[in-house]
Amino acid sequence: MKILVLAEINDGELAEDQTSKTVSAATSLGKVDVLCASNSCTDASKKIASMENVEKVFVIEDDIFSQSLAESYSETLIDTVSSYSHVFAPSSSFGKNILPRIGGVLDAMVISDVSKIISSDTFERPIYAGNAIQTVQSIDKVKLVSVRTSNFDSVPLTGSADIEKIECATNNTYTTFVENKIQTSDRPELTSAKVVVSGGRGVGSKENFEIIEGLADKLGAAVGASRAAVDSGFAPNDWQVGQTGKVVAPDLYVAVGISGAIQHLAGMKDSKVIVAINKDEEAPIFQVADFGLVDDLFKAVPEIEKKI
Amino acid sequence: MKILVPVKRVLDYNVKARVKADGTGVDLANVKMSMNPFDEIALEEAIRIKENGKAEEIIAVSIGVQQNQETLRTALAMGADRAILVVATDDVHNDIEPLTVANILAAITIKEGPDLILCGKQAIDNDFNATAQMLSAKLKWSQATFASEIDVEKDKIRVTREVDGGLQTIDAKIPAVVSVDLRLNEPRYASLPNIMKAKRKPLEEISPADLGVEISQRLKVIKTKEPDSREAGLILENIDQLVEKIQENVGG
Ligand SMILES: Cc1cc2nc3c(=O)[nH]c(=O)nc-3n(C[C@H](O)[C@H](O)[C@H](O)COP(=O)(O)OP(=O)(O)OC[C@H]3O[C@@H](n4cnc5c(N)ncnc54)[C@H](O)[C@@H]3O)c2cc1C
């Protein structure tokens, strides 16, 4: 068994939470190597070298990797990747873009969104928006595993792995980067926040969403949204929680003006405590909430913010 | 330009999945099946590209059981020009893995010669999110996943992708495989006259063997179970109680 983790590095910046939890999932099978491919990996590789049970950090620096385009990885890193029995990546938009393409090149299935590692060839993963959990056993020579990071803890930073630069011919004749519209915010990251406050269609407008953001800031929380809120333009796409958005499992999830469709629940029902505020007492969100308040959000949320 | 759109027949998104008592999978006997919502969006986009004069033909492909015919008739009624049904199994519970689907689609692509393949980003049943990426690798084509905006130019396609940090725009050289996200468009309903017309559009039926593709299964299903269920909790009387509960659980 030889295990490789693809570190998620976007434009030189390590996605530390995602990568650390992926390392944590992978190290349940043994010690791992980590591959850092980006335009600049100095900070990222140092951080990764300190993660527990990382044996070796391979670094390849080239501008071609800066925007995490799938072809850059699949065309150039195949030789490196195919010498391993397991390749892990976070099941983020980074991992979901790259890992199946590597699977196509290697003729191996990808085991997406793994929530539990049973053994070196057997894994658990949610299907049907989390309405069923399936255990699958892979017969592929190389196991390609994307990790549902919200199900794993970060690893402690107690290690001191060797960092080794590698060279390979880089090539991507398929896609070119044009621009990014990336939101920066002082709030905690949605997928790793301890508290998340989310708003839905009930919030009504982009302006009204400030009520949600106000409560979130008071609690030091990340802000989330339902698909309906994002589709209506109340919130940016990267706030969407659910089957097709982000999967979160904070200590506390506050759902405001969200009905609780299965596709939304798919992204938040592993939260430790769920609080729901909705004016409709029949809303399905109350069936999963630990604490519910049947009230108008425009009255309740500002008052809660004041009293906290 | 020719566009290929693969469409999967899945459990309707409004129907709650029930795990079969024997743990072999989700029960699909006598339940409402529909076109995978993401594939509907892919098809809608193909139709719009054609309506804008940038494509001449749209071919819809479905892989699975005989009944996938219905899904293809829907695709034809929405606006696909013709359809190919690959009958790959006679049991609806036998899900064909993305890797095999990619092999079948690659073989069809070589036969039909499309310039662009528009796929849904994931099937809402197995949630793999893999077919488009595997297909583009097999064909050695450009890949653009999670599209929320598509602009077809002369020899390239500009795609805005929904990524974790926000939006990323890339140019992909044609031929390309694009996987589409929810916010790309809102699919149309097929009108009654178009449903009638669709009955006369060509629907070809083939087998994987006709394409020289073997159905392989790399992931053996060991068991399928219900997720741990959450109990409904407490409905609180007033805001003060809620404030108390929030405070207890922040940083707790
Ligand atoms: C393929 C597919 C994938 C999907 N993926 C996702 C996903 O990833 N994430 C996601 O969230 N959804 C997803 N959806 C959409 C999902 O099915 C629902 O449509 C969506 O979650 C509804 O959002 P909502 O709860 O905000 O809106 P609604 O269902 O309209 O609910 C609004 C709620 O607000 C309440 N409300 C209104 N006004 C007030 C007020 N003044 N005070 C208090 N409460 C109020 C109402 O009682 C209602 O319960 C997906 C759908 C499909 C088909």
Side-chain angles (χ1 to χ4, degrees):
Chain A
M1 197 160 52
K2 246 183 110 190
I3 307 165
L4 182 71
V5 172
L6 291 184
E8 173 169 348
I9 307 172
N10 297 305
D11 209 0
E13 190 150 337
L14 175 68
E16 187 180 343
D17 184 68
Q18 303 275 8
T19 302
S20 174
K21 288 171 177 170
T22 304
V23 168
S24 155
T27 50
S28 68
L29 295 176
K31 288 199 184 293
V32 304
D33 294 344
V34 180
L35 180 63
C36 300
S38 192
N39 44 337
S40 143
C41 300
T42 318
D43 296 343
S45 58
K46 271 193 206 139
K47 178 65 92 177
I48 291 167
S50 72
M51 291 180 182
E52 190 179 69
N53 287 321
V54 172
E55 200 147 66
K56 208 154 208 175
V57 183
F58 292 107
V59 169
I60 168 161
E61 287 183 328
D62 194 300
D63 282 342
I64 202 173
F65 298 114
S66 64
Q67 300 303 328
S68 310
L69 300 176
E71 295 90 336
S72 307
Y73 289 79
S74 64
E75 302 310 305
T76 52
L77 296 174
I78 280 301
D79 290 341
T80 312
V81 164
S82 60
S83 65
Y84 285 86
S85 63
H86 292 73
V87 181
F88 284 76
S91 136
S92 54
S93 58
F94 169 93
K96 282 178 173 159
N97 187 40
I98 295 169
L99 208 58
R101 186 167 177 110
I102 292 177
V105 176
L106 295 177
D107 196 50
M109 252 305 276
V110 64
I111 312 157
S112 309
D113 246 343
V114 164
S115 51
K116 194 171 172 184
I117 292 168
I118 311 269
S119 73
S120 63
D121 64 359
T122 307
F123 308 89
E124 247 180 49
R125 56 183 301 270
I127 54 172
Y128 286 89
N131 281 301
I133 310 288
Q134 198 152 63
T135 306
V136 293
Q137 185 176 28
S138 163
I139 58 163
D140 277 319
K141 242 180 27 220
V142 186
K143 274 97 181 140
L144 303 173
V145 179
S146 81
V147 176
R148 176 172 277 229
T149 50
S150 61
N151 285 67
F152 297 88
D153 293 325
S154 302
V155 282
L157 300 175
T158 52
S160 56
D162 288 339
I163 300 175
E164 188 182 310
K165 284 221 178 209
I166 54 171
E167 304 282 336
C168 65
T170 53
N171 199 11
N172 178 356
T173 55
Y174 301 96
T175 45
T176 47
F177 169 71
V178 180
E179 62 168 349
N180 275 330
K181 286 196 186 120
I182 302 287
Q183 306 253 340
T184 49
S185 132
D186 296 335
R187 297 198 181 102
E189 213 186 313
L190 183 53
T191 46
S192 56
K194 294 249 178 295
V195 182
V196 174
V197 182
S198 287
R201 197 198 312 268
V203 178
S205 71
K206 192 173 177 199
E207 293 69 48
N208 290 347
F209 227 81
E210 283 171 18
I211 305 177
I212 306 295
E213 298 178 54
L215 178 60
D217 289 341
K218 192 77 181 262
L219 295 169
V223 184
S226 72
R227 173 192 172 187
V230 177
D231 285 3
S232 313
F234 308 168
N237 69 286
D238 48 299
W239 289 4
Q240 182 174 315
V241 170
Q243 183 182 20
T244 39
K246 291 186 175 140
V247 178
V248 303
D251 292 340
L252 175 64
Y253 187 90
V254 184
V256 183
I258 293 177
S259 61
I262 44 176
Q263 293 88 2
H264 187 79
L265 302 185
M268 45 66 81
K269 71 179 172 165
D270 289 335
S271 304
K272 228 183 254 162
V273 173
I274 297 172
V275 166
I277 302 167
N278 196 305
K279 67 176 180 190
D280 173 11
E281 61 180 328
E282 306 276 310
I285 189 78
F286 289 126
Q287 286 160 25
V288 298
D290 299 280
F291 305 106
L293 182 71
V294 181
D295 204 346
D296 186 289
L297 72 93
F298 298 107
K299 174 173 152 278
V301 177
E303 198 176 324
I304 295 167
E305 191 190 327
K306 218 178 307 149
K307 288 187 169 165
I308 278 172
Chain B
M1 185 160 86
K2 241 194 225 186
I3 307 178
L4 192 80
V5 184
V7 295
K8 186 174 186 183
R9 181 171 177 267
V10 296
L11 180 66
D12 186 86
Y13 81 95
N14 270 315
V15 178
K16 191 173 173 348
R18 306 253 169 235
V19 174
K20 284 200 287 184
D22 64 3
T24 55
V26 162
D27 196 353
L28 298 176
N30 305 315
V31 291
K32 185 174 179 218
M33 305 288 281
S34 306
M35 190 188 298
N36 180 39
F38 290 98
D39 304 346
E40 252 184 317
I41 295 170
L43 179 59
E44 173 66 33
E45 195 65 16
I47 297 166
R48 291 185 190 187
I49 293 170
K50 189 182 164 199
E51 285 171 346
N52 286 330
K54 291 181 174 169
E56 293 82 49
E57 191 182 30
I58 301 166
I59 308 166
V61 180
S62 196
I63 301 163
V65 291
Q66 190 72 45
Q67 290 89 322
N68 287 28
Q69 260 197 28
E70 295 160 19
T71 313
L72 287 171
R73 287 290 169 207
T74 306
L76 294 168
M78 280 175 72
D81 297 293
R82 60 191 175 92
I84 302 171
L85 170 63
V86 184
V87 181
T89 173
D90 54 15
D91 181 358
V92 64
H93 295 98
N94 185 8
D95 191 38
I96 312 294
E97 285 178 356
L99 191 64
T100 297
V101 171
N103 281 329
I104 292 173
L105 292 173
I108 291 178
T109 298
I110 289 162
K111 218 172 110 196
E112 299 286 347
D115 312 279
L116 182 61
I117 303 175
L118 294 178
C119 305
K121 81 162 179 182
Q122 77 193 74
I124 60 163
D125 50 6
N126 62 33
D127 279 334
F128 269 120
N129 192 332
T131 300
Q133 298 89 315
M134 290 180 161
L135 177 59
S136 65
K138 298 253 171 208
L139 293 168
K140 297 197 163 58
W141 284 15
S142 319
Q143 163 178 331
T145 48
F146 325 145
S148 64
E149 224 180 296
I150 292 178
D151 195 5
V152 179
E153 295 168 27
K154 208 172 151 296
D155 45 14
K156 65 170 202 260
I157 162 167
R158 179 158 290 193
V159 178
T160 299
R161 310 176 51 231
E162 294 206 358
V163 295
D164 287 346
L167 298 169
Q168 181 191 57
T169 304
I170 61 171
D171 281 340
K173 221 164 65 182
I174 292 176
V177 182
V178 178
S179 88
V180 308
D181 218 317
L182 290 173
R183 271 170 285 280
L184 182 61
N185 61 47
E186 234 177 275
R188 68 195 64 192
Y189 290 102
S191 66
L192 197 59
N194 284 342
I195 293 173
M196 299 310 290
K197 254 198 278 176
K199 292 189 176 149
R200 292 190 304 273
K201 288 186 179 175
L203 194 161
E204 180 191 358
E205 205 179 296
I206 56 175
S207 73
D210 295 337
L211 298 163
V213 178
E214 224 179 288
I215 307 273
S216 80
Q217 194 182 1
R218 308 295 178 82
L219 303 180
K220 192 170 129 204
V221 175
I222 306 289
K223 71 166 185 253
T224 311
K225 62 174 188 192
E226 302 268 357
D228 298 337
S229 66
R230 273 190 101 98
E231 302 281 306
L234 229 56
I235 296 289
L236 304 174
E237 312 262 307
N238 57 47
I239 289 176
D240 288 335
Q241 288 180 352
L242 188 72
V243 168
E244 198 177 300
K245 290 297 174 197
I246 288 178
Q247 265 159 343
E248 274 172 22
N249 288 291
V250 169

